[in-house]
Amino acid sequence: MEQLLEPKINTRDFIIAKAAELFNLHGYNGCSMSDIMKATHLKKGGIYNYFKSKDEIAVEAFNYSYKKIIERFRSKLDYDKSSVEKLFSIIEVYASFISKPLMKGGCPIFNTAVDATDNHPALKERAKKGIDSLQKYIEIKVEEGIECGEFKTNCEPSKIASLMIINLEGAIIMSRVHGNDEHMLLTVELLKDYINKCRT
């Protein structure tokens, strides 16, 4: 009988995945090459066969984390039809970061934005684009909801988007600090109630 061969592991992707977890937990400065070597069981030369520097690993690790976030959002949003459904799904996906975290350490976009603000311009810019993209998406969904009569005409898309992101990111932090999902559950309830009050 022909022996089945295990699929070949993509070493570069393996390094990125492990580094993404470390950077999300410890931040850019808090994660050393030694930490990455320990997590991957690779020597420094083995890692530098695939990357020029720690900076390159950090950027690729963020890209990896951001892709995982987008995949989770799409897994829900692709099935929604109305603007209200999409806003509720965004809230529920954020809540899932507590009950079913993508990786240890909380939201990679927020963590990177805070961690890289003063010490890594390239990472800061990527995190900013990630947050801006979500903000714009919410604004567009609210605008579409106003146009089709789902939301009141006096609703402010930018205000709704900002309140959603600020409260959801804050709830993630509070949930991590206290080790439970009480703050997230409260935030979900309040945001959904707020959105319902904006409906026609």
Side-chain angles (χ1 to χ4, degrees):
M1 181 181 293
E2 184 178 346
Q3 185 176 2
L4 294 177
L5 298 176
E6 293 184 3
K8 186 177 180 181
I9 298 173
N10 186 320
T11 305
R12 188 176 190 278
D13 289 346
F14 175 71
I15 295 169
I16 291 171
K18 289 295 184 180
E21 294 178 358
L22 292 172
F23 284 123
N24 201 47
L25 270 173
H26 307 297
Y28 178 79
N29 286 331
C31 176
S32 67
M33 284 301 299
S34 296
D35 294 325
I36 297 173
M37 290 163 58
K38 183 177 180 181
T40 59
H41 303 290
L42 293 170
K43 295 182 179 180
K44 186 175 290 187
I47 294 174
Y48 283 131
N49 281 333
Y50 299 92
F51 303 95
K52 296 178 182 178
S53 64
K54 177 185 168 184
D55 280 358
E56 185 181 353
I57 299 174
V59 170
E60 290 300 325
F62 176 80
N63 292 340
Y64 167 86
S65 299
Y66 184 68
K67 182 180 178 182
K68 300 290 281 185
I69 291 171
I70 295 301
E71 286 173 353
R72 183 169 293 190
F73 274 113
R74 284 179 176 166
S75 69
K76 260 189 92 66
L77 292 169
D78 285 351
Y79 295 96
D80 295 329
K81 295 180 180 179
S82 70
S83 294
V84 171
E85 288 175 346
K86 289 185 183 294
L87 295 191
F88 280 6
S89 283
I90 289 171
I91 294 169
E92 289 162 9
V93 169
Y94 256 100
S96 77
F97 292 156
I98 300 300
S99 58
K100 296 179 181 179
L102 287 167
M103 60 184 68
K104 294 179 180 179
C107 176
I109 297 177
F110 179 80
N111 288 348
T112 302
V114 173
D115 177 62
T117 294
D118 297 321
N119 56 43
H120 204 302
L123 280 177
K124 176 188 174 183
E125 184 60 26
R126 278 170 169 75
K128 181 179 181 299
K129 286 182 179 179
I131 294 172
D132 289 348
S133 178
L134 177 59
Q135 170 103 14
K136 188 62 179 176
Y137 180 84
I138 296 173
E139 290 177 7
I140 290 172
K141 293 303 120 183
V142 176
E143 289 167 0
E144 290 175 353
I146 293 172
E147 290 174 4
C148 70
E150 285 184 76
F151 292 118
K152 298 173 184 176
T153 55
N154 63 350
C155 286
E156 300 178 54
S158 61
K159 179 180 177 180
I160 292 173
S162 293
L163 283 173
M164 284 180 62
I165 295 171
I166 291 167
N167 280 280
L168 289 166
E169 289 290 0
I172 288 177
I173 294 171
M174 292 293 285
S175 295
R176 284 186 61 202
V177 168
H178 292 278
N180 59 55
D181 61 357
E182 290 180 12
H183 294 88
M184 179 57 77
L185 294 175
L186 175 62
T187 299
V188 169
E189 180 183 349
L190 292 174
L191 284 177
K192 286 188 174 182
D193 183 60
Y194 174 74
I195 290 170
N196 280 327
K197 288 178 180 177
C198 293
R199 299 172 68 175
T200 53

